Amino acid sequence: MEFRQRRGRNIIKPVRISIRPAYRDEWDDAMALAWRTFMQYEACDFTPEGVESFQDFITDTVLYKMFVLGSYQLFGAYDNSRMIGMLSLRGETHISLLFVDEQYHRMGIGRGLIEYVSEYVHTEEGHGSITVNAAPYATGFYHRVGFVDTDVEQVCDGIRYTPMKRSITII
């Protein structure tokens, strides 16, 4: 997939990104990306309890075991072999984590992950929609990629989120 151009030192070049299921040995990279990006953009919207809840979630060994057993899917976006974005699915249709490295924001990586996973959920799992509990920082992004609110903003364990749903239309 080719995404928007990256600029640096007066050089403009297209960025070729691959999106695929993540391998077992990429788990730690994905969770480090999630933590780093969460702390940079989202932690300010959460209570200390919420930050701790998020950290507990991404470091939970049970979650990793679920990934290894195939009941918790993880997909990555890669610039060469470097993971620059990640999305995880819980229960076949629920996005539980979606993060993109700061250097790759506003290049279509998040949208690409959503499209890839939507096709996966439709063709491999046989479902017609996906859901997410969107953090305040991400609600605008999710609206732009076709999600609609299914309820008002909520708080659970210090984590603020808005439940959303997106119907999957494969062309």
Side-chain angles (χ1 to χ4, degrees):
M1 297 182 152
E2 196 162 298
F3 289 85
R4 294 187 189 133
Q5 298 178 344
R6 179 173 52 194
R7 296 172 188 199
R9 300 182 191 219
N10 297 326
I11 299 171
I12 299 173
K13 64 180 182 176
V15 177
R16 292 203 44 87
I17 304 296
S18 61
I19 297 176
R20 62 167 171 76
Y23 301 131
R24 181 186 293 191
D25 64 348
E26 295 170 328
W27 178 264
D28 290 337
D29 290 341
M31 295 307 116
L33 171 62
W35 178 249
R36 185 174 61 248
T37 309
F38 172 84
M39 290 304 292
Q40 203 167 13
Y41 293 98
E42 296 184 11
C44 61
D45 291 325
F46 293 81
T47 65
E49 176 193 19
V51 172
E52 185 177 337
S53 293
F54 182 82
Q55 185 177 32
D56 289 347
F57 178 75
I58 65 170
T59 58
D60 185 6
T61 57
V62 173
L63 190 66
Y64 174 71
K65 288 176 185 171
M66 289 171 56
F67 165 66
V68 170
L69 294 172
S71 61
Y72 186 82
Q73 292 104 348
L74 176 63
F75 302 88
Y78 302 86
D79 185 354
N80 291 314
S81 61
R82 179 176 171 244
M83 182 181 284
I84 51 95
M86 57 83 71
L87 184 152
S88 63
L89 279 181
R90 178 180 73 224
E92 297 180 355
T93 63
H94 184 77
I95 298 170
S96 65
L97 299 170
L98 171 57
F99 291 96
V100 175
D101 185 273
E102 175 187 33
Q103 294 177 13
Y104 293 84
H105 280 195
R106 305 193 90 43
M107 294 175 64
I109 309 301
R111 180 181 296 273
L113 282 161
I114 294 286
E115 294 303 326
Y116 183 94
V117 167
S118 292
E119 186 172 330
Y120 170 84
V121 166
H122 185 263
T123 59
E124 299 297 322
E125 304 292 351
H127 298 287
S129 64
I130 54 177
T131 60
V132 68
N133 291 334
Y137 178 80
T139 56
F141 162 76
Y142 284 112
H143 287 145
R144 287 190 299 277
V145 297
F147 283 81
V148 294
D149 298 2
T150 59
D151 205 343
V152 296
E153 184 179 272
Q154 301 174 23
V155 178
C156 182
D157 296 325
I159 295 176
R160 291 175 51 204
Y161 64 92
T162 301
M164 297 182 168
K165 183 176 184 176
R166 178 184 194 236
S167 295
I168 298 172
T169 307
I170 304 297
I171 299 173

